[in-house]
Amino acid sequence: MSATDTYLLLRAFCDELARCGMEHACTAPGSRSTPIVLSLVREPRIHAWSQIDERSAGFFALGAAKRSGRPVAVTCTSGTAAANLAPAVIEARHARVPLIVLTADRPPELRDVGAGQTIDQLKLYGDTVKWFFEVGVHEATPAALRFVRTLACRAYWTAAHGPPGPVHLNFPLREPLVLDAPLPDDSTGRGDGRPYVIVDAPIESVPSGGRYPFGRIVIVAGADRDPIAGRELAGFAAHAGIPLLADPLSGARQGHAAIAHYDLLLRDPEFGLAHRPELVIRTGDLPTSKPLRAWLAGLDAAQIAIDPDGNWHDPDAVVGTRVRASVRALLDGLTAGEVVPVAPEWLASWQAADAAAGAALAGVLGDELSEPLVARSLGEWLGARDTLFVASSMPIRDVELYLPAREDGPRVLSNRGANGIDGTVSAAFGAAAAGDGPIVLLIGDVALAHDVGGLMAARRLGLALTIVLLNNDGGGIFHFLPVAGEADAFEEHVATPHGLEFAHAAALYGCGFERPRTLDELRRAVETSVADNDATTIIEVRTDRVENLELHRRAADAALGAVRQCA
Ligand SMILES: Cc1ncc(C[n+]2csc(CCOP(=O)(O)OP(=O)(O)O)c2C)c(N)n1
Ligand SMILES: [Mg+2]
């Protein structure tokens, strides 16, 4: 087997990925992976982005796939390099993101004999991937070329559909690893640039002619991978008069039926009791909100979960019916004109409470810079062209709690598959690489410190990102938990203050840095950065963890008071 064989096969492999629709890939440096890296780089339809750290590479590819909805490949060399992709692979599995992992490996004769940088990479990610395949070593015969073309298509379509997720192909590669002669032509591809194998998305068989549901119904809309579905769902809920408790990740927090402050409303047991529905329709992933989850768990209403992949999101075991369909297909199947009007008081009562809670919150937040106010303001300032990428911990909770319902608001993305704070900067850069329109990342200081190396993409890849950093010098979220009372260990081992001066990180990685002191200054800094397509800026808002806890409590108390008053 020669380098020509290796490169002929890999060129066919990458050709098929591109024919299937791949537009982005991410590489990390190494020797053994050279043939894979060069083949991706030399495939003109695929933009190959380079990352130094494999953990960042994995998350970068994840972010690109999440935003574009298309499979993205990530490749790395053998050994611990491949292990560093594991967090992104896990997130991809749980968040249903199509990721194609291409690891380089030693050929069989160099395994388990003390050869350098060699570990057991077979099924390295276990059951986390949808499919693992050991590619083997082949001469580039016509039969082998057809085999790798099929393999690429199978990897692509397996990652793309039913449900989307990660796949792993392990490539044993023999030296020599670079070519010493031009590659001959290969005519094994199909005519017209078609993929060698097309696997259609499963056709949805949704009963048509269904009726609009009616009665005391609520819709709980969680994260959906389809950016259009949320808007359609909001339109349906508004038309049918059904309160829509919409996580911002659903894209459905819009329209006049959207109830933005469900988390606060449902903290009031009386409100929860008075607003018990007869039917709950749940779409997408289950939202994070604890009061919402607790309320759903305690209802005796019928609960229907709608999900195209039949995802089983029901930690409290209360769902009685599962419908395996996308929201859009279901809505298409409904017969318009068959609307049975619901008593208008049902929605009106939710709306009144929502408005009262919103006004009370606004009163408490005022215009002094704080974590909740930053989250809410971004939701008000950013438009439909913008994407708000939100880190785990308090940023995603604040966004769920405070983002206003709004037409033409930003698309909201987050790594909520496994709720990690890792790889967030890299994932946001990946999202920036794979679409048009600005990306704003809302992130805490610990999450930024965790993936500070991800900032390298600003300098090396020339990508633009607006990073709004909520710096409360530690994990502010832990103040909301009982562990905050364990004084002997809390600060050092749980909250983990670090005193990092992020301006230095900005300087190291060639990013701009701003520290606005007022809401107006923040708005100007965000608008300036968003308008600049060439630069990454860190906009730091300094806050205090204890004051943040108190502010959240005051805001929630005020909202609850207002809800009770309007009951
Ligand atoms: C990879 C990973 N490690 C640890 C955790 C546990 N964890 C959850 S939130 C958090 C602190 C995050 O702090 P920061 O990003 O500053 O946000 P804040 O809580 O201050 O809003 C940690 C360590 C996690 N979710 N993921
Ligand atoms: Mg913090």
Side-chain angles (χ1 to χ4, degrees):
M1 204 197 111
S2 65
T4 302
D5 288 304
T6 305
Y7 277 83
L8 263 175
L9 291 166
L10 281 168
R11 186 179 64 184
F13 183 86
C14 295
D15 176 40
E16 289 302 329
L17 292 179
R19 286 170 183 242
C20 288
M22 182 173 289
E23 292 176 340
H24 298 278
C26 189
T27 70
S31 167
R32 190 59 50 170
S33 55
T34 300
I36 306 176
V37 171
L38 294 189
S39 301
L40 283 168
V41 168
R42 290 171 184 168
E43 169 46 62
R45 290 160 291 179
I46 297 177
H47 191 144
W49 302 89
S50 155
Q51 286 277 4
I52 289 176
D53 174 334
E54 289 79 12
R55 192 173 66 171
S56 289
F59 277 106
F60 184 91
L62 176 98
K66 188 184 279 271
R67 181 158 187 216
S68 65
R70 290 181 185 216
V72 173
V74 56
T75 188
C76 69
T77 193
S78 59
T80 53
N84 273 286
L85 295 177
V89 169
I90 293 167
E91 174 62 21
R93 177 60 185 244
H94 290 274
R96 291 184 264 174
V97 178
L99 197 64
I100 300 181
V101 176
L102 311 172
T103 52
D105 200 350
R106 296 286 191 275
E109 65 274 15
L110 291 180
R111 294 184 188 170
D112 202 17
V113 289
Q117 215 173 307
T118 310
I119 64 167
D120 183 357
Q121 295 181 191
L122 302 185
K123 302 205 170 178
L124 183 61
Y125 312 108
D127 286 343
T128 302
V129 289
K130 291 181 66 187
W131 184 48
F132 167 79
F133 194 77
E134 163 73 2
V135 178
V137 187
H138 310 273
E139 281 175 26
T141 60
L145 283 160
R146 288 199 303 277
F147 156 69
V148 297
R149 287 186 180 278
T150 306
L151 187 68
C153 295
R154 187 166 174 193
Y156 189 94
W157 301 119
T158 304
H161 301 313
V167 300
H168 174 204
L169 273 56
N170 191 52
F171 288 80
L173 293 161
R174 268 196 199 117
E175 294 182 8
L177 299 168
V178 290
L179 280 171
D180 55 8
L183 272 187
D185 287 341
D186 161 18
S187 56
T188 54
R190 305 251 185 232
D192 310 334
R194 275 180 298 129
Y196 205 79
V197 186
I198 294 171
V199 179
D200 274 341
I203 296 171
E204 293 194 79
S205 56
V206 175
S208 60
R211 295 211 175 170
Y212 269 43
F214 64 96
R216 284 165 62 102
I217 303 169
V218 295
I219 299 175
V220 175
D224 197 306
R225 277 137 287 273
D226 177 352
I228 315 280
R231 198 180 330 125
E232 296 195 354
L233 186 61
F236 161 74
H239 189 55
I242 300 176
L244 174 61
L245 317 189
D247 184 335
L249 295 171
S250 69
R253 192 176 277 191
Q254 55 180 296
H256 81 266
I259 306 297
H261 304 102
Y262 56 82
D263 180 283
L264 292 163
L265 307 188
L266 296 172
R267 288 182 200 200
D268 178 8
E270 280 174 28
F271 180 91
L273 216 56
H275 290 80
R276 273 174 304 173
E278 294 155 351
L279 174 66
V280 178
I281 300 173
R282 294 156 65 148
T283 68
D285 299 346
L286 193 57
T288 306
S289 161
K290 277 192 185 156
L292 173 65
R293 287 179 171 217
W295 182 69
L296 290 172
L299 294 174
D300 55 10
Q303 302 205 28
I304 299 178
I306 297 166
D307 189 282
D309 312 312
N311 226 28
W312 207 278
H313 271 212
D314 184 21
D316 298 297
V318 288
V319 170
T321 305
R322 300 197 158 271
V323 181
R324 201 181 185 117
S326 69
V327 167
R328 283 167 79 184
L330 267 188
L331 294 179
D332 285 351
L334 289 178
T335 312
E338 297 263 348
V339 183
V340 180
V342 184
E345 300 82 50
W346 173 240
L347 176 59
S349 164
W350 282 88
Q351 285 170 322
D354 194 39
L361 283 181
V364 173
L365 295 188
D367 57 8
E368 199 178 319
L369 276 186
S370 65
E371 297 183 27
L373 185 62
V374 171
R376 199 186 66 183
S377 302
L378 289 176
E380 285 167 349
W381 298 336
L382 300 178
R385 276 190 68 244
D386 306 318
T387 300
L388 180 61
F389 203 107
V390 188
S392 288
S393 202
M394 287 311 286
I396 192 66
R397 286 182 170 74
D398 281 348
V399 161
E400 187 179 9
L401 246 88
Y402 293 100
L403 217 69
R406 199 190 128 200
E407 310 299 321
D408 298 327
R411 183 173 180 203
V412 183
L413 298 176
S414 181
N415 287 343
R416 294 308 283 167
N419 303 358
I421 56 161
D422 45 348
T424 315
V425 176
S426 301
F429 272 117
D436 298 325
I439 305 256
V440 176
L441 168 63
L442 181 65
I443 188 168
D445 49 289
V446 177
L448 179 54
H450 206 292
D451 191 26
V452 73
L455 291 173
M456 192 117 58
R459 169 159 286 183
R460 289 194 65 244
L461 305 181
L463 288 167
L465 187 63
T466 297
I467 301 177
V468 178
L469 164 63
L470 297 170
N471 185 358
N472 54 21
D473 196 20
I477 195 168
F478 297 120
H479 287 263
F480 292 78
L481 303 179
V483 68
E486 305 296 316
D488 54 332
F490 178 72
E491 274 293 297
E492 186 181 348
H493 292 279
V494 184
T496 60
H498 43 72
L500 289 176
E501 178 53 77
F502 285 98
H504 298 315
L508 176 63
Y509 291 109
C511 306
F513 185 83
E514 302 280 340
R515 188 179 297 141
R517 312 269 170 186
T518 65
L519 192 62
D520 277 347
E521 285 177 17
L522 173 67
R523 181 169 194 161
R524 268 196 299 279
V526 169
E527 284 174 355
T528 307
S529 174
V530 160
D532 185 346
N533 290 327
D534 295 322
T536 288
T537 306
I538 298 177
I539 302 169
E540 180 185 68
V541 176
R542 289 233 172 145
T543 59
D544 179 275
R545 286 180 267 123
V546 175
E547 283 172 18
N548 182 51
L549 172 72
E550 286 163 3
L551 177 64
H552 270 88
R553 292 211 169 130
R554 278 205 310 281
D557 286 348
L560 275 184
V563 171
R564 286 189 180 136
Q565 266 193 353
C566 78

